Amino acid sequence: MHSKLFEAALGVSDPWFVSGVDFDAATKLLTIQIDFTAGSRFAHPEVAGAHSVHDTIVKRYRHLNFFQHDCYLEVRTPRVKLPDGRVALVEPDWAGKLSGFTLLFEAMVLTLAQQMPFTVVARAVGESWHRVHAICKRYVQLALAAIDLSGMTSAAVDETSYRRGHNYLTLVADAEQRKVVFVTEGKDAATIEQWFWCK
């Protein structure tokens, strides 16, 4: 019964299922094991169709806390055999963009990081500053890779100082959309050059 409750809470659905739950009261650690139904076939983003499982590895993901307890998912993750003979890992839908975290955990980090410094976020979620920074950096990279500036016709450029000194950031915004599209350190001609290279 408790497995079904955790499946509902986690959004785990067929062919995935919760195969076990371990709770360590002393360390306040909740570990949820997730498996998939034998004989399942999985899609892979590189090749159309559903592919048979070649083998599996167990991957561990940090998830949102359950109340005050740290929660980890241990997922028996399939590697599928593709038509060209390659073997490729199939990440579950809830896997984050940075290895070792779920999407929901990363979403919480990103939400908190919009309102507070990384140090405070790290303390709140129980991770290191470096891991919090890595999550945010990864999503910025993905957003930059997806941005389409082909319709941008005019730019607004400004600089601002930070860290109480002569340290500057240059910002470029789409003047019509009023949306920042580029930020870099410095305020000289080289910063504008970087903007043109990024376009």
Side-chain angles (χ1 to χ4, degrees):
M1 180 63 173
H2 68 282
S3 293
K4 294 297 181 187
L5 290 173
F6 280 110
E7 285 173 9
L10 295 168
V12 171
S13 58
D14 189 62
W16 304 97
F17 64 93
V18 171
S19 59
V21 178
D22 294 322
F23 175 61
D24 187 333
T27 59
K28 295 186 176 179
L29 179 64
L30 177 67
T31 304
I32 302 171
Q33 289 92 31
I34 298 177
D35 203 342
F36 59 88
T37 307
S40 298
R41 296 173 69 87
F42 294 88
H44 191 274
E46 292 179 18
V47 182
H51 312 288
S52 61
V53 175
H54 175 73
D55 60 13
T56 63
I57 61 171
V58 175
K59 295 197 71 176
R60 187 173 167 89
Y61 300 90
R62 173 74 193 275
H63 188 56
L64 297 176
N65 288 1
F66 270 81
F67 300 100
Q68 74 273 31
H69 309 301
D70 288 351
C71 178
Y72 288 86
L73 309 183
E74 287 186 348
V75 184
R76 187 168 163 260
T77 311
R79 296 197 317 149
V80 296
K81 190 77 171 279
L82 300 178
D84 63 4
R86 288 183 300 136
V87 174
L89 186 70
V90 175
E91 294 273 17
D93 292 340
W94 61 83
K97 303 299 182 187
L98 193 72
S99 180
F101 299 104
T102 64
L103 276 174
L104 285 176
F105 185 86
E106 291 178 347
M108 181 181 67
V109 167
L110 294 172
T111 300
L112 293 176
Q114 292 178 54
Q115 307 297 328
M116 57 185 73
F118 287 171
T119 305
V120 180
V121 176
R123 195 178 312 124
V125 301
E127 287 290 337
S128 71
W129 181 95
H130 298 285
R131 296 290 270 167
V132 168
H133 177 263
I135 289 170
C136 294
K137 181 178 179 180
R138 180 64 180 139
Y139 278 88
V140 168
Q141 289 170 338
L142 290 170
L144 288 174
I147 196 168
D148 179 10
L149 302 178
S150 60
M152 186 173 163
T153 57
S154 58
V157 182
D158 198 4
E159 80 258 350
T160 184
S161 62
Y162 71 105
R163 291 186 182 164
R164 294 187 188 174
H166 298 292
N167 298 301
Y168 291 90
L169 291 175
T170 293
L171 298 93
V172 179
D174 184 325
E176 292 179 6
Q177 298 291 322
R178 296 182 179 218
K179 179 174 67 176
V180 174
V181 296
F182 181 76
V183 179
T184 189
E185 292 183 356
K187 63 168 188 170
D188 56 11
T191 62
I192 302 302
E193 220 174 287
Q194 287 182 53
W195 153 244
F196 280 112
W197 279 109
C198 285
K199 282 183 72 183

